[in-house]
Amino acid sequence: MNIILFEEKEISSTYHIQITDHRAKHIVKVLRSQVGDRVRVGVIDGGRGMAKIVAIKPKFPFSVDLDIQLETTLPEEKPVIDLVLALPRPIMLRRILSQVTSLGVGRIFLIDSQRVEKSFWQASLLQNEQYREHLLIGLEQAVATRLPEVSIYPKFKGFMDELLVKDLDDYSALIVADPAGTNTFSEALRQAGGSLRQGGRVLLCVGPEGGWVPAEVDQFSGCGFSICTIGERILKVDTAVIALHSRIMALREIL
Amino acid sequence: MNIILFEEKEISSTYHIQITDHRAKHIVKVLRSQVGDRVRVGVIDGGRGMAKIVAIKPKFPFSVDLDIQLETTLPEEKPVIDLVLALPRPIMLRRILSQVTSLGVGRIFLIDSQRVEKSFWQASLLQNEQYREHLLIGLEQAVATRLPEVSIYPKFKGFMDELLVKDLDDYSALIVADPAGTNTFSEALRQAGGSLRQGGRVLLCVGPEGGWVPAEVDQFSGCGFSICTIGERILKVDTAVIALHSRIMALREIL
């Protein structure tokens, strides 16, 4: 936890807050802070700053009183990559959500695919925004405050229909990672080079273990997606998501 | 498991093998193979090919007889990146070893650093090459056969001394990832561009949680390493290793 995050509604009009949960425990046990120390803080989807510890109860139940001074009022800029992810196994999804949030993504679309095990859709993680805590872990790691927006599409077609109508124009580059892909990432990004340099956004789609089925690849292709090879080595989805995100970020910087 | 791997000594002179362990279970339960089916196989640090199932016992204790036909005699080329890793927590090290092996690394140097918790050096994972099983998981995932070479240095100085005398000339680019870094990866790789295109190798050093201490960064710097920024977002070591490996691979392709 490299930043202590608050909900905006937790903070009083005098910018004072008392916390008694895992954040208080972290300040006491990990940071070993004392009264008078300052800690880095942020408001979820808001600004960042520092907070001075004005009172502390270092024994269970922990309690920490903070006076907050925000240095910014807005979160960092929206990351340029949005991620479409064929719904993975819940245990893997948890880790991916934290990791991609720490790397930076604007939106996360969790979608169905032929090779997604249907039982994954019953995961409690997807109910009542329980996934949100794993996004927060990623923000706390990365010292960021902008929460990725998560959209869930239990039908592949439902996702594609809505994307075509609503969101497709948001992107300068549309990339599907697939073992059968023939384009390289650098080719796909170079085609969009000019608009990427001007802040254009990238939509990256990562399939399930076993990959997208050909009919899905065809639909992406028909909508203008570039089907990109991920190299000869077969990667697990959690490794692939980080690897492909990083590949795009690196190439985007120098195109 | 996308390839069934064998030790060379397991294979008889007639290229027949009987397996009864987790590999047999995988063939029975996951691949659901029958007599006559073919599976992808490889020899650790050797070639790859296919094997025909000539007998199978599909109930516990599982047993599978295979006739092997190797199509190559050598493993894939040595990956161009070697990784120096400040020893992480054992549970994280396991995952990193599998993931970087699936991405492809030639050598892995596990070294000490000021901020490495000394208790990590007692991990059973480091005794008697117990880490090897996690490398194999990575090869099985990536359909590869070349096992990364692992070297363990419980002293930072011991590592640096040996590197300087023995191995430093093996590399076209020497990169330390550090939050305090000022170079970018693309600059560091571009400087080595010509030799990288001719197959030059890259040594990537990733510090512990909390980073290298300044004295360590100075030592790397004094030996000719380029100290590269990893961006504003602080990443966990397991995320960072994959992200930086992928960044180098992407940039290397287009320099």
Side-chain angles (χ1 to χ4, degrees):
Chain A
M1 204 187 287
N2 296 307
I3 184 170
I4 311 281
L5 293 178
F6 307 105
E7 307 285 347
E8 183 156 20
K9 62 177 185 243
E10 287 184 286
I11 302 173
S12 73
S13 56
T14 57
Y15 283 87
H16 181 87
I17 186 173
Q18 183 178 68
I19 48 177
T20 55
D21 57 9
H22 68 286
R23 296 169 295 183
K25 185 176 173 189
H26 180 82
I27 290 172
V28 171
K29 300 289 256 188
V30 180
L31 301 182
R32 294 183 194 166
S33 304
Q34 312 279 328
V35 168
D37 286 352
R38 287 153 57 85
V39 294
R40 192 152 46 179
V41 296
V43 181
I44 296 164
D45 283 328
R48 282 184 288 183
M50 299 298 286
K52 193 167 137 186
I53 297 172
V54 291
I56 200 161
K57 186 171 158 301
K59 295 251 157 70
F60 185 84
F62 308 105
S63 151
V64 177
D65 282 52
L66 295 165
D67 276 345
I68 295 172
Q69 278 205 306
L70 294 179
E71 290 149 14
T72 55
T73 53
L74 293 174
E76 66 279 0
E77 273 191 39
K78 188 170 178 175
V80 295
I81 298 179
D82 288 352
L83 176 67
V84 175
L85 188 63
L87 187 70
R89 189 175 297 280
I91 193 171
M92 186 179 275
L93 177 58
R94 283 203 290 270
R95 190 162 66 237
I96 292 175
L97 290 178
S98 298
Q99 290 187 306
V100 297
T101 303
S102 70
L103 288 164
V105 288
R107 299 184 65 179
I108 300 169
F109 302 87
L110 299 173
I111 77 167
D112 193 38
S113 150
Q114 283 262 322
R115 294 208 178 102
V116 166
E117 254 189 53
K118 297 315 159 209
S119 64
F120 295 171
W121 287 106
Q122 308 309 318
S124 59
L125 188 60
L126 300 179
Q127 319 305 320
N128 307 315
E129 300 194 0
Q130 284 185 46
Y131 52 79
R132 193 168 183 269
E133 91 181 73
H134 303 282
L135 305 177
L136 289 175
I137 290 170
L139 292 182
E140 289 164 351
Q141 173 62 41
V143 194
T145 62
R146 180 189 287 272
L147 209 57
E149 189 187 322
V150 176
S151 312
I152 299 176
Y153 293 88
K155 300 277 180 208
F156 184 86
K157 187 174 179 310
F159 165 71
M160 290 302 276
D161 288 349
E162 200 170 313
L163 182 72
L164 285 173
V165 176
K166 275 179 57 185
D167 301 315
L168 210 56
D169 294 343
D170 293 355
Y171 300 103
S172 301
L174 301 166
I175 291 180
V176 171
D178 193 76
T182 47
N183 298 312
T184 67
F185 274 71
S186 55
E187 284 161 6
L189 292 169
R190 197 168 274 145
Q191 279 173 21
S195 47
L196 286 182
R197 275 191 297 278
Q198 287 150 37
R201 314 194 68 251
V202 179
L203 185 61
L204 166 68
C205 307
V206 180
E209 303 286 346
W212 307 103
V213 298
E216 291 163 350
V217 173
D218 287 348
Q219 282 191 65
F220 280 122
S221 196
C223 297
F225 280 80
S226 183
I227 314 299
C228 292
T229 172
I230 53 173
E232 281 188 7
R233 304 175 82 100
I234 303 178
L235 301 176
K236 279 179 72 172
V237 169
D238 52 355
T239 315
V241 167
I242 302 172
L244 300 173
H245 184 289
S246 306
R247 194 164 270 242
I248 291 171
M249 291 303 283
L251 293 171
R252 190 180 156 275
E253 273 171 29
I254 63 163
L255 284 176
Chain B
M1 205 185 287
N2 296 309
I3 184 169
I4 311 282
L5 293 178
F6 307 105
E7 307 283 351
E8 184 157 17
K9 62 177 186 246
E10 286 184 287
I11 302 173
S12 73
S13 57
T14 58
Y15 284 86
H16 181 87
I17 186 173
Q18 183 178 68
I19 49 178
T20 56
D21 56 10
H22 68 284
R23 297 169 295 183
K25 186 176 172 189
H26 181 82
I27 290 171
V28 171
K29 300 289 257 188
V30 180
L31 301 181
R32 294 183 193 163
S33 304
Q34 311 279 330
V35 168
D37 286 353
R38 287 154 58 83
V39 293
R40 192 153 43 180
V41 297
V43 180
I44 296 165
D45 283 328
R48 283 183 289 182
M50 300 296 288
K52 192 166 138 185
I53 297 172
V54 291
I56 199 162
K57 184 173 160 302
K59 294 250 158 70
F60 184 83
F62 307 105
S63 151
V64 177
D65 283 52
L66 295 166
D67 276 345
I68 294 172
Q69 279 205 306
L70 293 179
E71 289 149 14
T72 55
T73 53
L74 293 174
E76 66 280 359
E77 272 190 38
K78 188 170 178 178
V80 294
I81 299 178
D82 288 352
L83 176 68
V84 175
L85 188 63
L87 187 69
R89 187 175 297 280
I91 193 171
M92 188 181 270
L93 177 57
R94 284 204 290 270
R95 191 163 65 238
I96 292 175
L97 290 177
S98 297
Q99 290 189 307
V100 297
T101 304
S102 71
L103 287 164
V105 288
R107 300 185 65 179
I108 300 170
F109 303 88
L110 298 173
I111 76 168
D112 193 37
S113 151
Q114 284 262 321
R115 295 209 177 102
V116 166
E117 256 190 50
K118 298 314 161 207
S119 64
F120 296 172
W121 287 106
Q122 308 310 318
S124 59
L125 188 59
L126 300 180
Q127 321 304 322
N128 308 315
E129 301 196 359
Q130 284 184 48
Y131 54 77
R132 192 169 185 269
E133 96 182 67
H134 303 283
L135 305 177
L136 290 175
I137 289 170
L139 292 182
E140 289 164 350
Q141 172 63 41
V143 194
T145 62
R146 181 190 286 272
L147 209 55
E149 191 186 322
V150 175
S151 311
I152 299 177
Y153 293 88
K155 300 276 179 210
F156 183 86
K157 187 174 179 311
F159 165 72
M160 290 301 277
D161 288 350
E162 198 169 314
L163 183 70
L164 284 174
V165 175
K166 274 180 57 185
D167 301 315
L168 210 55
D169 293 343
D170 292 354
Y171 300 102
S172 302
L174 301 167
I175 291 180
V176 171
D178 194 74
T182 48
N183 297 313
T184 66
F185 274 72
S186 55
E187 283 161 7
L189 292 169
R190 196 167 276 144
Q191 280 173 22
S195 48
L196 286 181
R197 275 191 297 277
Q198 286 149 40
R201 313 194 70 250
V202 180
L203 185 61
L204 167 68
C205 308
V206 179
E209 303 287 345
W212 307 103
V213 299
E216 290 163 353
V217 173
D218 287 349
Q219 282 191 65
F220 279 122
S221 196
C223 297
F225 280 79
S226 183
I227 315 299
C228 292
T229 173
I230 53 172
E232 283 188 7
R233 304 175 80 103
I234 303 178
L235 300 177
K236 281 179 71 172
V237 168
D238 52 354
T239 314
V241 168
I242 303 172
L244 300 173
H245 184 290
S246 305
R247 194 167 272 242
I248 292 170
M249 291 302 284
L251 293 170
R252 191 181 155 276
E253 272 172 29
I254 64 163
L255 285 175

